[in-house]
């Protein structure tokens, strides 16, 4: 794609003067079209004749009678503008191909046709010229009162329109859920089943990580609890109580308690260290798969509960969409 040439400041000023000239002509032409259309209405024609008979006669003889010729004069200038704009676009390489200009500026081309339906397209030329002046920073239409009023009601209209469309779509989805043959079955078959192994691996890895992190962060508390549990268990054991009554029994019971506590803590350390082993990972995956299969099993009651939850969620979403936020924005 050829590089676009930058326009010199002098050419920019020429473009600006020409655009302003065309803008004035288009506005004058549209005003003339509007006035001549109103002139054709008998009540307005009669009122015009009664208020300003001389001006009415001059307009009818010199302008209305030659309206087509006058409009063709405007069209000639507009057609010249299209040809000049096309030539400038080719010279400055505004588009990828030389013939793109009339397709991009189709409203300018069709507006040159001197027929009533096509003449209305000249309004788009005014909008295009205003947009160009806005882009050049010469005007700021966003500060215009008419623009703010139009933007306000367009915003309200678009919000109301999109809200109604969204609510209608959600209504259709709810109706499909109520009248359908069930959603859980297709959901499991098309969405969950193809990703079953990946989900199982993800669940098992998370379980391993949770168990390992929980123990490493609370190891001292866990071992302290185990030692206390062993001590209470031995203290309540009748055999240990009888052993304590024997000579040297207290020392033996304390030694036994310490040994059992160390053994229990060692077993816990070894067991939790084995969480990173391949055997434990395989065990967790097997348990996760068994639980996953049980979770995927559905029946008629499960289908109804799932569909009702989805319907209620959509109803809540509809209530949220139905809130007219533009009222808080503009009132």
């Amino acid at each position: 794609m050829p590089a676009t040439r930058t326009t010199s400041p002098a050419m920019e000023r020429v473009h600006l003067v020409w655009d302003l000239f065309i803008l004035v002509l288009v506005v004058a032409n549209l005003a003339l079209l509007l006035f001549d259309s109103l002139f054709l209405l008998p009540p307005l024609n009669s009122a015009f004749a009664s208020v300003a008979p001389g001006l009415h006669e001059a307009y009818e003889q010199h302008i209305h009678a030659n309206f087509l010729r006058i409009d063709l004069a405007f069209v000639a200038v507009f057609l010249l503008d299209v040809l000049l704009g096309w030539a400038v676009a080719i010279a400055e390489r505004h588009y990828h191909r030389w013939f793109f200009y009339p397709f991009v500026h189709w409203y300018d081309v069709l507006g040159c046709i001197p027929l009533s339906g096509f003449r209305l397209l000249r309004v788009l030329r005014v909008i295009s010229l205003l947009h160009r002046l806005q882009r050049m920073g010469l005007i700021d239409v966003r500060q215009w009162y008419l623009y703010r009023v139009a933007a306000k009601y367009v915003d309200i209209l678009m919000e109301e329109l999109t809200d109604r469309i969204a609510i209608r779509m959600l209504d259709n989805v709810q109706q499909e859920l109520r009248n359908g043959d069930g959603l859980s079955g297709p959901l499991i078959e098309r969405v969950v089943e193809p990703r079953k192994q990946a989900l199982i691996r993800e669940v098992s890895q998370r379980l391993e990580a949770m168990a390992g992190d929980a123990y490493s962060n609370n190891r001292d508390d866990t071992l302290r609890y185990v030692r206390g549990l062993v001590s209470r268990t031995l203290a309540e054991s009748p055999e240990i109580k009888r052993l304590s009554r024997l000579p040297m029994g207290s020392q033996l019971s304390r030694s036994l308690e310490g040994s059992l506590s160390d053994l229990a803590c060692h077993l816990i350390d070894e067991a939790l260290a084995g969480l990173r082993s391949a055997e434990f990972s395989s065990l967790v995956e097997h348990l996760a798969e068994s639980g996953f299969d049980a979770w995927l099993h559905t029946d008629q009651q499960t289908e109804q509960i799932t569909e009702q939850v989805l319907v209620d969620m959509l109803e809540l979403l509809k209530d949220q969409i139905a809130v007219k936020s533009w009222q808080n924005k503009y009132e």
Side-chain angles (χ1 to χ4, degrees):
M1 180 176 178
T4 302
R5 295 181 182 174
T6 58
T7 306
S8 64
M11 288 302 298
E12 285 285 352
R13 287 193 292 270
V14 172
H15 289 177
L16 174 60
V17 172
W18 180 257
D19 287 341
L20 292 175
F21 173 68
I22 294 298
L23 179 62
V24 172
L25 285 184
V26 173
V27 172
N29 181 244
L30 291 174
L32 182 61
L33 288 172
L34 177 62
F35 187 84
D36 197 73
S37 300
L38 297 176
F39 186 81
L40 296 175
L41 299 176
L44 296 179
N45 191 301
S46 302
F48 184 26
S50 61
V51 172
L55 185 60
H56 175 274
E57 183 179 358
Y59 179 83
E60 186 173 18
Q61 292 179 359
H62 300 289
I63 298 180
H64 182 69
N66 302 302
F67 181 79
L68 183 57
R69 294 180 182 178
I70 297 174
D71 187 60
L72 288 176
F74 281 103
V75 169
V77 179
F78 297 154
L79 186 59
L80 176 62
D81 175 58
V82 172
L83 295 176
L84 289 176
W86 194 352
V88 170
I90 294 174
E92 298 181 353
R93 299 179 182 178
H94 290 174
Y95 304 106
H96 186 61
R97 290 289 184 268
W98 65 271
F99 54 84
F100 279 13
Y101 183 88
F103 295 99
V104 176
H105 298 266
W106 57 271
Y107 46 87
D108 289 345
V109 177
L110 296 180
C112 293
I113 300 176
L115 297 177
S116 57
F118 293 104
R119 287 168 177 162
L120 296 177
L121 294 176
R122 297 172 191 175
V123 177
L124 299 179
R125 178 179 285 243
V126 175
I127 298 175
S128 175
L129 292 171
L130 291 176
H131 175 69
R132 192 180 309 174
L133 296 174
Q134 170 81 16
R135 189 179 58 212
M136 295 174 65
L138 298 175
I139 60 173
D140 189 3
V141 297
R142 292 171 295 185
Q143 301 300 323
W144 295 0
Y145 174 77
L146 291 178
Y147 177 86
R148 293 198 299 268
V149 172
K152 171 184 175 180
Y153 289 103
V154 168
D155 187 24
I156 294 174
L157 176 63
M158 292 302 297
E159 181 179 340
E160 290 290 336
L161 184 62
T162 54
D163 286 354
R164 291 179 184 275
I165 293 174
I167 292 175
R168 181 62 180 272
M169 292 176 61
L170 293 177
D171 282 336
N172 293 337
V173 174
Q174 287 180 313
Q175 194 64 32
E176 289 291 334
L177 288 173
R178 294 188 182 101
N179 299 337
D181 296 330
L183 181 65
S184 299
L187 180 64
I188 293 173
E189 180 180 352
R190 299 180 185 179
V191 178
V192 180
E193 285 290 351
R195 301 169 178 83
K196 177 181 176 181
Q197 294 304 321
L199 290 172
I200 290 174
R201 284 195 299 271
E202 181 68 20
V203 171
S204 61
Q205 289 173 1
R206 288 181 179 272
L207 288 175
E208 293 177 35
M210 288 171 57
D213 293 341
Y215 179 67
S216 61
N217 295 330
N218 302 278
R219 181 177 182 275
D220 294 338
D221 293 336
T222 304
L223 296 182
R224 190 179 303 111
Y225 172 77
V226 171
R227 293 183 186 278
L229 181 62
V230 172
S231 178
R232 289 193 300 273
T233 303
L234 292 178
E236 296 172 359
S237 172
E239 290 79 6
I240 298 300
K241 291 180 180 179
R242 286 194 296 268
L243 179 62
S244 299
R245 299 190 190 100
L246 297 176
M248 305 294 292
S250 298
Q251 291 82 351
L252 289 173
S253 62
R254 285 195 296 271
S255 299
L256 180 62
E257 178 182 340
S259 299
L260 291 176
S261 297
D262 292 340
L263 178 61
C265 292
H266 182 70
L267 287 175
I268 291 176
D269 273 334
E270 290 292 330
L272 293 175
L275 293 178
R276 299 177 178 86
S277 64
E279 294 81 3
F280 184 77
S281 298
S282 176
L283 175 62
V284 172
E285 285 193 16
H286 180 70
L287 293 175
E289 184 173 5
S290 300
F292 201 80
D293 291 336
W295 177 67
L296 292 182
H297 177 71
T298 60
D299 52 20
Q300 185 65 29
Q301 184 178 4
T302 305
E303 292 276 355
Q304 293 177 354
I305 294 174
T306 303
E307 292 170 4
Q308 188 58 47
V309 168
L310 291 175
V311 169
D312 292 342
M313 290 175 61
L314 292 174
E315 191 66 32
L316 181 62
L317 185 59
K318 284 165 53 180
D319 293 340
Q320 187 66 29
I321 293 175
V323 175
K324 300 182 184 299
S325 58
W326 60 264
Q327 291 181 340
N328 297 327
K329 183 177 180 181
Y330 295 110
E331 294 182 1

